[in-house]
Amino acid sequence: MVGGRLCCLCCFFTYSAVLLLGVCLHDVEASNCPRIIHKQVGDTVELPSCLPTEGVTSVVWKFGDKTVADMEQSLNTQSTDRIYLNNTTCSLTVRRLIAQDSGNYSFLSEAKDVQRDTVIITLHVHEPITTPVLTANTTSHAFNGSCTVFLWCTSDGQVNYNWTVKDRTHRGSSTQHYTIRPQDGETTFTCTVWNVVSEQSASTTVTCSNDTSDPTKPEPENFVLFLSVAAGAGLTIIIVVTIIIWVCLHTQRQSEGSDANDLTVYADISDYASEDRTSANMKPCSVYETIDNRVNAATSGPQTVYDKIQFNHMRNASGSP
């Protein structure tokens, strides 16, 4: 009777050990199965089933609510040349990934006609990272001789930023500012943009100088040269404008003098030959000659009233004293 109890205890412990070993193996296998996978656009991914394949009688892979692979029907609703179902390992392979492939993939299976737990794997497909553009702007401080460096790092997509300065790296945002001094010499700043699948970097070197002049103001030599050129250009413009005004006034005066000459009586009265003169080759007479010619020629004899009276009424001299 005691031997029977010992045998039962041995069987119980043996069954418990086997069951515990099976649970441990299952947990180890499940822990080695990734439930979240990150890939880049254009890559190929293999989604594991995360369950034993012995005695599997039915396998279905779904993307969201859509069935993308079925072992029995060889169903593939997305793209037959991109999706492949391995009937031995029950894994699902997706080639030439695109951003729209991101989402939850469900593995449904039956072993010996018994439904097993559903395995869900989340796939993240990331856009490729472009090389960032790093811009630096330095401002000098006269009171202590230091410089403040402002940095901007830009890149496409959702990325994280790491900054490396003097062999020290820390995580930050897309903009940073640092303080450096002339004794630091050349200081290199590196911006690294990254995600879980790739990364890209850009660097720039900055030196702090004691020159506190405003970089937006022109240098003195250049400023003097600029003033000289501006003065010369202004003087040239003044001379040209003066010449143009003088020419215009001179032309106007000549025009007014010509008009005044044309408006005199000499211009209005046309030349003509005297009616009393019959000579063919006689020159045209002026207005004075015309007026003079039209006066009747003086007759011989007395021209005054007195003369007329004397001549017309004179009596013969009497012989008496």
Side-chain angles (χ1 to χ4, degrees), residues 14-57:
T14 301
Y15 177 78
S16 298
V18 171
L19 181 62
L20 181 61
L21 180 61
V23 171
C24 291
L25 291 175
H26 180 270
D27 291 340
V28 170
E29 183 178 3
S31 62
N32 292 332
C33 181
R35 298 303 178 93
I36 299 177
I37 299 177
H38 295 271
K39 288 291 182 179
Q40 185 172 309
V41 171
D43 290 346
T44 298
V45 64
E46 183 178 0
L47 307 178
S49 63
C50 299
L51 291 177
T53 57
E54 292 80 9
V56 174
T57 56

Short mmCIF file of all heavy atoms in Angstrom, two decimals, residues 14-57:
data_model
loop_
_atom_site.label_atom_id
_atom_site.label_comp_id
_atom_site.label_asym_id
_atom_site.label_seq_id
_atom_site.Cartn_x
_atom_site.Cartn_y
_atom_site.Cartn_z
N THR A 14 6.39 13.55 -11.85
CA THR A 14 6.88 13.47 -13.23
C THR A 14 5.99 14.26 -14.18
O THR A 14 6.46 15.02 -15.04
CB THR A 14 6.92 12.01 -13.69
OG1 THR A 14 7.78 11.28 -12.81
CG2 THR A 14 7.44 11.89 -15.11
N TYR A 15 4.68 14.15 -14.02
CA TYR A 15 3.74 14.90 -14.87
C TYR A 15 3.89 16.40 -14.65
O TYR A 15 3.87 17.20 -15.60
CB TYR A 15 2.32 14.43 -14.57
CG TYR A 15 1.26 15.18 -15.34
CD1 TYR A 15 1.02 14.88 -16.69
CD2 TYR A 15 0.51 16.19 -14.73
CE1 TYR A 15 0.06 15.57 -17.40
CE2 TYR A 15 -0.46 16.89 -15.43
CZ TYR A 15 -0.68 16.57 -16.77
OH TYR A 15 -1.64 17.25 -17.47
N SER A 16 4.05 16.79 -13.40
CA SER A 16 4.20 18.21 -13.08
C SER A 16 5.47 18.79 -13.69
O SER A 16 5.49 19.91 -14.22
CB SER A 16 4.21 18.42 -11.56
OG SER A 16 2.98 18.00 -10.99
N ALA A 17 6.56 17.98 -13.65
CA ALA A 17 7.82 18.45 -14.21
C ALA A 17 7.72 18.61 -15.72
O ALA A 17 8.22 19.60 -16.30
CB ALA A 17 8.94 17.48 -13.85
N VAL A 18 7.08 17.66 -16.37
CA VAL A 18 6.92 17.75 -17.82
C VAL A 18 6.06 18.96 -18.19
O VAL A 18 6.36 19.71 -19.13
CB VAL A 18 6.32 16.45 -18.38
CG1 VAL A 18 5.96 16.62 -19.84
CG2 VAL A 18 7.29 15.29 -18.20
N LEU A 19 4.98 19.16 -17.43
CA LEU A 19 4.10 20.29 -17.70
C LEU A 19 4.83 21.61 -17.47
O LEU A 19 4.74 22.54 -18.28
CB LEU A 19 2.86 20.20 -16.80
CG LEU A 19 1.82 21.32 -16.98
CD1 LEU A 19 1.27 21.31 -18.40
CD2 LEU A 19 0.68 21.14 -15.96
N LEU A 20 5.61 21.68 -16.39
CA LEU A 20 6.35 22.90 -16.10
C LEU A 20 7.41 23.17 -17.17
O LEU A 20 7.61 24.31 -17.60
CB LEU A 20 7.01 22.78 -14.72
CG LEU A 20 7.82 24.00 -14.25
CD1 LEU A 20 6.92 25.22 -14.15
CD2 LEU A 20 8.46 23.69 -12.90
N LEU A 21 8.06 22.07 -17.65
CA LEU A 21 9.06 22.23 -18.70
C LEU A 21 8.42 22.72 -19.99
O LEU A 21 8.96 23.58 -20.69
CB LEU A 21 9.78 20.89 -18.93
CG LEU A 21 10.86 20.89 -20.01
CD1 LEU A 21 11.97 21.87 -19.65
CD2 LEU A 21 11.42 19.47 -20.20
N GLY A 22 7.23 22.20 -20.30
CA GLY A 22 6.54 22.64 -21.51
C GLY A 22 6.14 24.11 -21.42
O GLY A 22 6.26 24.87 -22.40
N VAL A 23 5.67 24.51 -20.24
CA VAL A 23 5.30 25.92 -20.06
C VAL A 23 6.51 26.82 -20.19
O VAL A 23 6.46 27.89 -20.82
CB VAL A 23 4.61 26.11 -18.70
CG1 VAL A 23 4.40 27.59 -18.40
CG2 VAL A 23 3.28 25.37 -18.67
N CYS A 24 7.63 26.37 -19.61
CA CYS A 24 8.85 27.18 -19.69
C CYS A 24 9.33 27.30 -21.13
O CYS A 24 9.73 28.39 -21.57
CB CYS A 24 9.94 26.55 -18.82
SG CYS A 24 9.60 26.67 -17.04
N LEU A 25 9.29 26.19 -21.87
CA LEU A 25 9.71 26.24 -23.26
C LEU A 25 8.80 27.14 -24.08
O LEU A 25 9.27 27.89 -24.95
CB LEU A 25 9.72 24.81 -23.85
CG LEU A 25 10.79 23.87 -23.31
CD1 LEU A 25 10.60 22.46 -23.89
CD2 LEU A 25 12.19 24.40 -23.64
N HIS A 26 7.52 27.09 -23.78
CA HIS A 26 6.59 27.96 -24.50
C HIS A 26 6.86 29.42 -24.19
O HIS A 26 6.82 30.29 -25.09
CB HIS A 26 5.15 27.58 -24.13
CG HIS A 26 4.11 28.41 -24.81
ND1 HIS A 26 3.63 29.59 -24.26
CD2 HIS A 26 3.46 28.26 -26.00
CE1 HIS A 26 2.74 30.13 -25.06
NE2 HIS A 26 2.60 29.32 -26.13
N ASP A 27 7.13 29.71 -22.90
CA ASP A 27 7.41 31.10 -22.53
C ASP A 27 8.70 31.59 -23.17
O ASP A 27 8.79 32.73 -23.62
CB ASP A 27 7.51 31.22 -21.00
CG ASP A 27 6.15 31.01 -20.33
OD1 ASP A 27 5.13 31.16 -21.03
OD2 ASP A 27 6.13 30.70 -19.12
N VAL A 28 9.72 30.70 -23.23
CA VAL A 28 10.98 31.09 -23.85
C VAL A 28 10.78 31.37 -25.34
O VAL A 28 11.28 32.35 -25.89
CB VAL A 28 12.04 30.01 -23.64
CG1 VAL A 28 13.26 30.30 -24.48
CG2 VAL A 28 12.41 29.92 -22.16
N GLU A 29 10.00 30.50 -25.99
CA GLU A 29 9.74 30.69 -27.41
C GLU A 29 8.95 31.97 -27.65
O GLU A 29 9.22 32.72 -28.59
CB GLU A 29 8.99 29.48 -27.96
CG GLU A 29 8.75 29.54 -29.46
CD GLU A 29 8.05 28.30 -29.98
OE1 GLU A 29 7.70 27.42 -29.16
OE2 GLU A 29 7.86 28.22 -31.20
N ALA A 30 7.96 32.23 -26.77
CA ALA A 30 7.16 33.44 -26.93
C ALA A 30 7.99 34.69 -26.66
O ALA A 30 7.80 35.72 -27.31
CB ALA A 30 5.95 33.38 -26.00
N SER A 31 8.91 34.59 -25.70
CA SER A 31 9.72 35.77 -25.40
C SER A 31 10.70 36.07 -26.52
O SER A 31 11.08 37.21 -26.72
CB SER A 31 10.48 35.57 -24.08
OG SER A 31 11.37 34.46 -24.19
N ASN A 32 11.11 35.07 -27.27
CA ASN A 32 12.02 35.27 -28.39
C ASN A 32 11.30 35.73 -29.64
O ASN A 32 11.94 36.05 -30.65
CB ASN A 32 12.78 33.98 -28.70
CG ASN A 32 13.77 33.62 -27.58
OD1 ASN A 32 14.26 34.51 -26.88
ND2 ASN A 32 14.02 32.32 -27.42
N CYS A 33 10.00 35.79 -29.60
CA CYS A 33 9.21 36.19 -30.76
C CYS A 33 8.90 37.67 -30.66
O CYS A 33 8.23 38.11 -29.71
CB CYS A 33 7.92 35.38 -30.81
SG CYS A 33 6.89 35.78 -32.24
N PRO A 34 9.37 38.48 -31.57
CA PRO A 34 9.11 39.93 -31.50
C PRO A 34 7.65 40.23 -31.83
O PRO A 34 7.10 39.73 -32.82
CB PRO A 34 10.04 40.51 -32.55
CG PRO A 34 10.25 39.40 -33.53
CD PRO A 34 10.19 38.13 -32.75
N ARG A 35 7.04 41.04 -30.99
CA ARG A 35 5.66 41.44 -31.23
C ARG A 35 5.56 42.83 -31.88
O ARG A 35 4.49 43.19 -32.36
CB ARG A 35 4.87 41.42 -29.91
CG ARG A 35 4.80 40.05 -29.26
CD ARG A 35 4.19 39.02 -30.20
NE ARG A 35 4.16 37.70 -29.63
CZ ARG A 35 3.12 37.19 -28.97
NH1 ARG A 35 2.04 37.92 -28.82
NH2 ARG A 35 3.18 35.97 -28.48
N ILE A 36 6.66 43.56 -31.87
CA ILE A 36 6.73 44.86 -32.54
C ILE A 36 7.97 44.86 -33.43
O ILE A 36 9.08 44.61 -32.95
CB ILE A 36 6.78 46.02 -31.54
CG1 ILE A 36 5.52 46.04 -30.67
CG2 ILE A 36 6.92 47.35 -32.28
CD1 ILE A 36 5.54 47.12 -29.60
N ILE A 37 7.77 45.13 -34.70
CA ILE A 37 8.87 45.11 -35.68
C ILE A 37 8.92 46.45 -36.39
O ILE A 37 7.89 46.99 -36.81
CB ILE A 37 8.69 43.97 -36.69
CG1 ILE A 37 8.68 42.61 -35.97
CG2 ILE A 37 9.80 43.99 -37.75
CD1 ILE A 37 8.42 41.43 -36.88
N HIS A 38 10.15 46.99 -36.52
CA HIS A 38 10.37 48.25 -37.24
C HIS A 38 11.16 47.96 -38.51
O HIS A 38 12.20 47.29 -38.46
CB HIS A 38 11.13 49.24 -36.37
CG HIS A 38 10.36 49.69 -35.16
ND1 HIS A 38 9.52 50.78 -35.19
CD2 HIS A 38 10.31 49.18 -33.89
CE1 HIS A 38 8.99 50.94 -33.99
NE2 HIS A 38 9.44 49.99 -33.18
N LYS A 39 10.69 48.49 -39.60
CA LYS A 39 11.38 48.35 -40.88
C LYS A 39 11.33 49.67 -41.63
O LYS A 39 10.60 50.59 -41.26
CB LYS A 39 10.74 47.24 -41.73
CG LYS A 39 11.02 45.84 -41.22
CD LYS A 39 12.48 45.45 -41.39
CE LYS A 39 12.76 44.04 -40.92
NZ LYS A 39 14.18 43.67 -41.10
N GLN A 40 12.11 49.75 -42.72
CA GLN A 40 12.18 50.94 -43.55
C GLN A 40 11.52 50.67 -44.89
O GLN A 40 11.44 49.52 -45.35
CB GLN A 40 13.64 51.35 -43.75
CG GLN A 40 13.83 52.66 -44.51
CD GLN A 40 15.28 53.11 -44.50
OE1 GLN A 40 15.91 53.18 -43.46
NE2 GLN A 40 15.81 53.38 -45.68
N VAL A 41 11.02 51.71 -45.52
CA VAL A 41 10.37 51.59 -46.82
C VAL A 41 11.34 50.92 -47.80
O VAL A 41 12.50 51.31 -47.92
CB VAL A 41 9.93 52.96 -47.35
CG1 VAL A 41 9.45 52.85 -48.80
CG2 VAL A 41 8.84 53.54 -46.47
N GLY A 42 10.83 49.89 -48.50
CA GLY A 42 11.66 49.15 -49.45
C GLY A 42 12.27 47.88 -48.90
O GLY A 42 12.78 47.05 -49.67
N ASP A 43 12.24 47.70 -47.56
CA ASP A 43 12.82 46.50 -46.95
C ASP A 43 11.88 45.31 -47.11
O ASP A 43 10.75 45.42 -47.60
CB ASP A 43 13.11 46.73 -45.47
CG ASP A 43 14.26 47.70 -45.25
OD1 ASP A 43 14.99 47.96 -46.22
OD2 ASP A 43 14.40 48.18 -44.11
N THR A 44 12.37 44.15 -46.65
CA THR A 44 11.57 42.92 -46.59
C THR A 44 11.47 42.48 -45.14
O THR A 44 12.46 42.53 -44.40
CB THR A 44 12.22 41.80 -47.43
OG1 THR A 44 12.26 42.22 -48.80
CG2 THR A 44 11.44 40.50 -47.32
N VAL A 45 10.30 42.06 -44.71
CA VAL A 45 10.09 41.64 -43.33
C VAL A 45 9.47 40.24 -43.31
O VAL A 45 8.67 39.89 -44.18
CB VAL A 45 9.18 42.63 -42.58
CG1 VAL A 45 7.79 42.68 -43.18
CG2 VAL A 45 9.12 42.29 -41.10
N GLU A 46 9.86 39.45 -42.31
CA GLU A 46 9.27 38.13 -42.10
C GLU A 46 8.59 38.14 -40.74
O GLU A 46 9.23 38.32 -39.70
CB GLU A 46 10.33 37.04 -42.14
CG GLU A 46 9.74 35.64 -41.98
CD GLU A 46 10.79 34.54 -42.08
OE1 GLU A 46 11.97 34.87 -42.27
OE2 GLU A 46 10.42 33.35 -41.96
N LEU A 47 7.28 37.93 -40.75
CA LEU A 47 6.49 37.93 -39.51
C LEU A 47 6.36 36.49 -39.02
O LEU A 47 5.74 35.65 -39.68
CB LEU A 47 5.11 38.53 -39.76
CG LEU A 47 5.08 39.93 -40.41
CD1 LEU A 47 3.65 40.38 -40.65
CD2 LEU A 47 5.82 40.93 -39.56
N PRO A 48 6.94 36.17 -37.84
CA PRO A 48 6.88 34.79 -37.34
C PRO A 48 5.52 34.49 -36.73
O PRO A 48 4.79 35.39 -36.30
CB PRO A 48 7.99 34.77 -36.29
CG PRO A 48 8.07 36.16 -35.79
CD PRO A 48 7.74 37.06 -36.96
N SER A 49 5.21 33.19 -36.65
CA SER A 49 3.93 32.78 -36.07
C SER A 49 3.97 32.78 -34.54
O SER A 49 2.93 32.92 -33.90
CB SER A 49 3.57 31.38 -36.56
OG SER A 49 4.54 30.44 -36.11
N CYS A 50 5.19 32.62 -33.97
CA CYS A 50 5.38 32.64 -32.52
C CYS A 50 4.69 31.46 -31.82
O CYS A 50 4.53 31.49 -30.59
CB CYS A 50 4.90 33.94 -31.90
SG CYS A 50 5.78 35.40 -32.51
N LEU A 51 4.27 30.43 -32.54
CA LEU A 51 3.65 29.24 -31.96
C LEU A 51 4.26 28.00 -32.59
O LEU A 51 4.77 28.04 -33.71
CB LEU A 51 2.14 29.26 -32.21
CG LEU A 51 1.32 30.33 -31.45
CD1 LEU A 51 -0.15 30.24 -31.87
CD2 LEU A 51 1.45 30.18 -29.95
N PRO A 52 4.21 26.86 -31.86
CA PRO A 52 4.73 25.60 -32.45
C PRO A 52 3.98 25.25 -33.73
O PRO A 52 2.79 25.57 -33.89
CB PRO A 52 4.48 24.57 -31.35
CG PRO A 52 4.38 25.37 -30.08
CD PRO A 52 3.76 26.68 -30.48
N THR A 53 4.66 24.59 -34.62
CA THR A 53 4.07 24.26 -35.92
C THR A 53 3.64 22.79 -36.01
O THR A 53 3.08 22.39 -37.03
CB THR A 53 5.08 24.55 -37.03
OG1 THR A 53 6.28 23.80 -36.78
CG2 THR A 53 5.40 26.03 -37.07
N GLU A 54 3.92 22.00 -34.95
CA GLU A 54 3.52 20.59 -35.01
C GLU A 54 2.01 20.46 -34.95
O GLU A 54 1.35 21.07 -34.11
CB GLU A 54 4.13 19.81 -33.84
CG GLU A 54 5.64 19.64 -33.91
CD GLU A 54 6.36 20.87 -33.44
OE1 GLU A 54 5.67 21.78 -32.90
OE2 GLU A 54 7.60 20.96 -33.60
N GLY A 55 1.49 19.66 -35.86
CA GLY A 55 0.07 19.35 -35.87
C GLY A 55 -0.82 20.49 -36.30
O GLY A 55 -2.04 20.45 -36.07
N VAL A 56 -0.26 21.50 -36.96
CA VAL A 56 -1.07 22.64 -37.41
C VAL A 56 -1.92 22.21 -38.60
O VAL A 56 -1.42 21.63 -39.57
CB VAL A 56 -0.19 23.83 -37.78
CG1 VAL A 56 -1.03 24.95 -38.38
CG2 VAL A 56 0.58 24.32 -36.56
N THR A 57 -3.21 22.46 -38.52
CA THR A 57 -4.13 22.07 -39.60
C THR A 57 -4.72 23.28 -40.34
O THR A 57 -5.26 23.13 -41.44
CB THR A 57 -5.27 21.24 -39.03
OG1 THR A 57 -5.93 21.99 -37.99
CG2 THR A 57 -4.75 19.92 -38.44
#
